[in-house]
Amino acid sequence: MSLLIKNGLIVTSDTQYKADIYVEQEKIKAIGVNLNFKAEEVIDASGKYILPGAIDSHTHLCMPYMGTYAKDDYKTGSIAAACGGVTCILDFNTQRNGETLYEALERKKSLAKGNTAVDFSLHPSITEPKDKIIKEIKTAITDYGTPSFKVYMTYDFRVDDSVILKLLAETKKYGGMLQVHAENFNIIEYFNNTFEKQKKLSIPYHPKSRPNIAEAEALSRVAKLAEITGGNLYIVHLSSKEGLEEVKRAKDKGVNIIAETCPQYLILDESRYFEPEFNGAKYVMSPPLRDKQSGEALWEGIRSGYISTIGTDHCPFDFNGIKDMFGKNDYRKIPNGAPGIETLMMLIHSEGVAKGKITLQQMVKILSVNTAKIFGLKNKGSICPGKDADIVIFNPKIKFNISYKKLHMNVDYNPYEGFDIIGMPETVYVRGKKAAQFKNDRVEFVGEIGRGRFIKREPSF
Ligand code: DUC
Ligand code: ZN
Ligand code: ZN
């Protein structure tokens, strides 16, 4: 399969220029002005941006959670990804009781096998940090191709500081990285117990039980653990202004700390929890949506470079029958999570670039270039000869009104329902093959299920 894309505006992390791109055998072969390769498909991309496919650094496909399952599996989740311009997914792989990291990896890979439309990799999520698991980190980095590991500081499967110290030290030895969900468990428990006694268990108490300071405290502590060990620390889903201040403090001191945020913390805010008829349950996620000042601070964090990546924390649960049934009278029982994989690129463009909050270059940097570098995806993340032809032809003029009915995520609502979007992924290529096409009023999946590959990643540090 060969492809010639003519006259598009190629966007990199620091510039943009008009040129043609020639693609052959899944790779970008050449970039130049007036290329005259003979190709099976020739596209005129005048007036459109040529972007590297987005890499979603944070998804929870098929994840068992709070008595149910995240509703997107590899098939529906990767179709949605392709339609949103996400050409590679980094999915969490939570270790089950008694499993080695290898067993967990093989279990999750088997769910993906033959079912995936875009490429993917896995972050082992360590819940049983026994000695033999800590020893396995070396092999996971050098053989399995999974150099990023996740731990939680809250929930039943949390780990304590002594484990975090060991994991930071061990991952660092082989150039790996520790990803941390940073929220202080005891602060959350204190508020949960207080609100229970006061019979304050309606939805607005969900954000009150997990205040900004619970994130900031955990984050400042884990940053110090990274400082002590010299380890490579990655903060997942940074959500608050106070948390960002801790990231800045640590980074300015020379700590190896990388921060990721999510569209929901940039765009939505805690007023959503007051929506009538239990609708606030749609936004119950952890960390919760924050105050408006936090959202503005996070955009500034992207502009200043303290925030390096954006992931979606895609973890959808239906509203009807799941969110509105579990925990009707108790916010603590509402499955935490929301859909996001398909709306990532359109939202960051429409709410970020089109509104002047970030530049097109900054968008490419946080959605693709940085993510590929940080996570060791050496063939992905930019429009350059030799890289995989994961390409989005992005039309900045297309208008789209968000409705869950027009999206592919397997869930019955969308947190951004009714948003007017400007600019959409018009045509999406996964390793040189068309996977999605905007037609009439929506993006259609035209790719191939099963084409997505597990990508072995390399350590980046
Ligand atoms: N937070 C969520 O909202 N869902 C999945 C896991 C998490 O940490
Ligand atoms: Zn998390
Ligand atoms: Zn998550």
Side-chain angles (χ1 to χ4, degrees), residues 58 60 150 152 155 181 236-237 286-287 313:
H58 190 145
H60 298 277
K150 161 113 177 259
Y152 294 82
Y155 301 128
H181 173 131
V236 297
H237 52 47
S286 298
D313 204 358

PDB file of all heavy atoms in Angstrom, residues 58 60 150 152 155 181 236-237 286-287 313, ligand 2:
ATOM      1  N   HIS A  58      -3.075   6.846  28.753  1.00  0.00           N
ATOM      2  CA  HIS A  58      -3.771   6.407  29.972  1.00  0.00           C
ATOM      3  C   HIS A  58      -5.173   5.885  29.666  1.00  0.00           C
ATOM      4  O   HIS A  58      -6.124   6.657  29.565  1.00  0.00           O
ATOM      5  CB  HIS A  58      -3.841   7.619  30.914  1.00  0.00           C
ATOM      6  CG  HIS A  58      -4.308   7.324  32.293  1.00  0.00           C
ATOM      7  ND1 HIS A  58      -3.831   7.983  33.396  1.00  0.00           N
ATOM      8  CD2 HIS A  58      -5.240   6.459  32.782  1.00  0.00           C
ATOM      9  CE1 HIS A  58      -4.425   7.543  34.492  1.00  0.00           C
ATOM     10  NE2 HIS A  58      -5.304   6.612  34.135  1.00  0.00           N
ATOM     11  N   HIS A  60      -8.082   2.433  30.448  1.00  0.00           N
ATOM     12  CA  HIS A  60      -8.433   1.260  31.266  1.00  0.00           C
ATOM     13  C   HIS A  60      -9.443   0.425  30.475  1.00  0.00           C
ATOM     14  O   HIS A  60     -10.633   0.428  30.799  1.00  0.00           O
ATOM     15  CB  HIS A  60      -9.074   1.695  32.588  1.00  0.00           C
ATOM     16  CG  HIS A  60      -8.201   2.516  33.488  1.00  0.00           C
ATOM     17  ND1 HIS A  60      -7.276   1.954  34.338  1.00  0.00           N
ATOM     18  CD2 HIS A  60      -8.116   3.857  33.679  1.00  0.00           C
ATOM     19  CE1 HIS A  60      -6.665   2.919  35.032  1.00  0.00           C
ATOM     20  NE2 HIS A  60      -7.152   4.084  34.638  1.00  0.00           N
ATOM     21  N   LYS A 150       2.793   1.172  37.114  1.00  0.00           N
ATOM     22  CA  LYS A 150       1.878   2.060  37.843  1.00  0.00           C
ATOM     23  C   LYS A 150       1.598   1.550  39.241  1.00  0.00           C
ATOM     24  O   LYS A 150       1.445   0.349  39.454  1.00  0.00           O
ATOM     25  CB  LYS A 150       0.571   2.125  37.054  1.00  0.00           C
ATOM     26  CG  LYS A 150      -0.662   2.604  37.806  1.00  0.00           C
ATOM     27  CD  LYS A 150      -1.137   3.930  37.277  1.00  0.00           C
ATOM     28  CE  LYS A 150      -2.400   4.455  37.909  1.00  0.00           C
ATOM     29  NZ  LYS A 150      -3.584   4.254  37.115  1.00  0.00           N
ATOM     30  N   TYR A 152      -0.831   2.830  42.881  1.00  0.00           N
ATOM     31  CA  TYR A 152      -1.841   3.728  43.431  1.00  0.00           C
ATOM     32  C   TYR A 152      -1.491   4.033  44.886  1.00  0.00           C
ATOM     33  O   TYR A 152      -1.093   3.127  45.626  1.00  0.00           O
ATOM     34  CB  TYR A 152      -3.210   3.048  43.410  1.00  0.00           C
ATOM     35  CG  TYR A 152      -3.761   2.786  42.025  1.00  0.00           C
ATOM     36  CD1 TYR A 152      -3.369   1.673  41.280  1.00  0.00           C
ATOM     37  CD2 TYR A 152      -4.718   3.644  41.471  1.00  0.00           C
ATOM     38  CE1 TYR A 152      -3.888   1.428  40.024  1.00  0.00           C
ATOM     39  CE2 TYR A 152      -5.248   3.397  40.207  1.00  0.00           C
ATOM     40  CZ  TYR A 152      -4.833   2.291  39.488  1.00  0.00           C
ATOM     41  OH  TYR A 152      -5.353   2.045  38.243  1.00  0.00           O
ATOM     42  N   TYR A 155      -7.102   3.663  47.261  1.00  0.00           N
ATOM     43  CA  TYR A 155      -7.879   2.448  46.950  1.00  0.00           C
ATOM     44  C   TYR A 155      -7.354   1.255  47.763  1.00  0.00           C
ATOM     45  O   TYR A 155      -6.256   1.310  48.346  1.00  0.00           O
ATOM     46  CB  TYR A 155      -7.841   2.059  45.455  1.00  0.00           C
ATOM     47  CG  TYR A 155      -8.358   3.095  44.498  1.00  0.00           C
ATOM     48  CD1 TYR A 155      -7.587   3.505  43.410  1.00  0.00           C
ATOM     49  CD2 TYR A 155      -9.622   3.660  44.650  1.00  0.00           C
ATOM     50  CE1 TYR A 155      -8.060   4.443  42.506  1.00  0.00           C
ATOM     51  CE2 TYR A 155     -10.089   4.602  43.746  1.00  0.00           C
ATOM     52  CZ  TYR A 155      -9.318   4.987  42.690  1.00  0.00           C
ATOM     53  OH  TYR A 155      -9.772   5.904  41.795  1.00  0.00           O
ATOM     54  N   HIS A 181      -0.627   7.184  40.853  1.00  0.00           N
ATOM     55  CA  HIS A 181      -1.917   7.851  41.119  1.00  0.00           C
ATOM     56  C   HIS A 181      -1.760   8.443  42.517  1.00  0.00           C
ATOM     57  O   HIS A 181      -1.749   7.722  43.514  1.00  0.00           O
ATOM     58  CB  HIS A 181      -3.058   6.827  41.056  1.00  0.00           C
ATOM     59  CG  HIS A 181      -4.393   7.373  41.477  1.00  0.00           C
ATOM     60  ND1 HIS A 181      -5.538   7.192  40.733  1.00  0.00           N
ATOM     61  CD2 HIS A 181      -4.775   8.093  42.563  1.00  0.00           C
ATOM     62  CE1 HIS A 181      -6.555   7.776  41.349  1.00  0.00           C
ATOM     63  NE2 HIS A 181      -6.125   8.319  42.471  1.00  0.00           N
ATOM     64  N   VAL A 236       0.280  10.527  37.088  1.00  0.00           N
ATOM     65  CA  VAL A 236      -0.867  10.358  36.172  1.00  0.00           C
ATOM     66  C   VAL A 236      -1.965  11.353  36.564  1.00  0.00           C
ATOM     67  O   VAL A 236      -2.042  11.791  37.706  1.00  0.00           O
ATOM     68  CB  VAL A 236      -1.426   8.911  36.181  1.00  0.00           C
ATOM     69  CG1 VAL A 236      -0.404   7.922  35.693  1.00  0.00           C
ATOM     70  CG2 VAL A 236      -1.958   8.500  37.550  1.00  0.00           C
ATOM     71  N   HIS A 237      -2.787  11.669  35.625  1.00  0.00           N
ATOM     72  CA  HIS A 237      -3.976  12.534  35.767  1.00  0.00           C
ATOM     73  C   HIS A 237      -3.859  13.646  36.816  1.00  0.00           C
ATOM     74  O   HIS A 237      -4.690  13.737  37.724  1.00  0.00           O
ATOM     75  CB  HIS A 237      -5.243  11.710  35.963  1.00  0.00           C
ATOM     76  CG  HIS A 237      -5.248  10.671  37.057  1.00  0.00           C
ATOM     77  ND1 HIS A 237      -4.806  10.913  38.328  1.00  0.00           N
ATOM     78  CD2 HIS A 237      -5.703   9.389  37.049  1.00  0.00           C
ATOM     79  CE1 HIS A 237      -4.974   9.832  39.057  1.00  0.00           C
ATOM     80  NE2 HIS A 237      -5.506   8.880  38.297  1.00  0.00           N
ATOM     81  N   SER A 286     -11.938   9.677  39.762  1.00  0.00           N
ATOM     82  CA  SER A 286     -10.915  10.027  40.748  1.00  0.00           C
ATOM     83  C   SER A 286      -9.575  10.225  40.078  1.00  0.00           C
ATOM     84  O   SER A 286      -9.146   9.331  39.351  1.00  0.00           O
ATOM     85  CB  SER A 286     -10.783   8.918  41.773  1.00  0.00           C
ATOM     86  OG  SER A 286     -12.009   8.804  42.442  1.00  0.00           O
ATOM     87  N   PRO A 287      -8.950  11.383  40.321  1.00  0.00           N
ATOM     88  CA  PRO A 287      -9.421  12.516  41.100  1.00  0.00           C
ATOM     89  C   PRO A 287     -10.712  13.098  40.507  1.00  0.00           C
ATOM     90  O   PRO A 287     -10.993  12.890  39.318  1.00  0.00           O
ATOM     91  CB  PRO A 287      -8.274  13.527  40.981  1.00  0.00           C
ATOM     92  CG  PRO A 287      -7.132  12.825  40.360  1.00  0.00           C
ATOM     93  CD  PRO A 287      -7.639  11.635  39.689  1.00  0.00           C
ATOM     94  N   ASP A 313      -7.532   8.797  30.728  1.00  0.00           N
ATOM     95  CA  ASP A 313      -8.076   8.005  31.844  1.00  0.00           C
ATOM     96  C   ASP A 313      -9.404   7.388  31.412  1.00  0.00           C
ATOM     97  O   ASP A 313     -10.356   7.304  32.206  1.00  0.00           O
ATOM     98  CB  ASP A 313      -8.246   8.861  33.114  1.00  0.00           C
ATOM     99  CG  ASP A 313      -8.224   8.001  34.374  1.00  0.00           C
ATOM    100  OD1 ASP A 313      -8.117   6.771  34.245  1.00  0.00           O
ATOM    101  OD2 ASP A 313      -8.325   8.561  35.476  1.00  0.00           O
TER     102      ASP A 313
HETATM  103 ZN    ZN B   2      -5.803   6.824  38.656  1.00  0.00          ZN
END
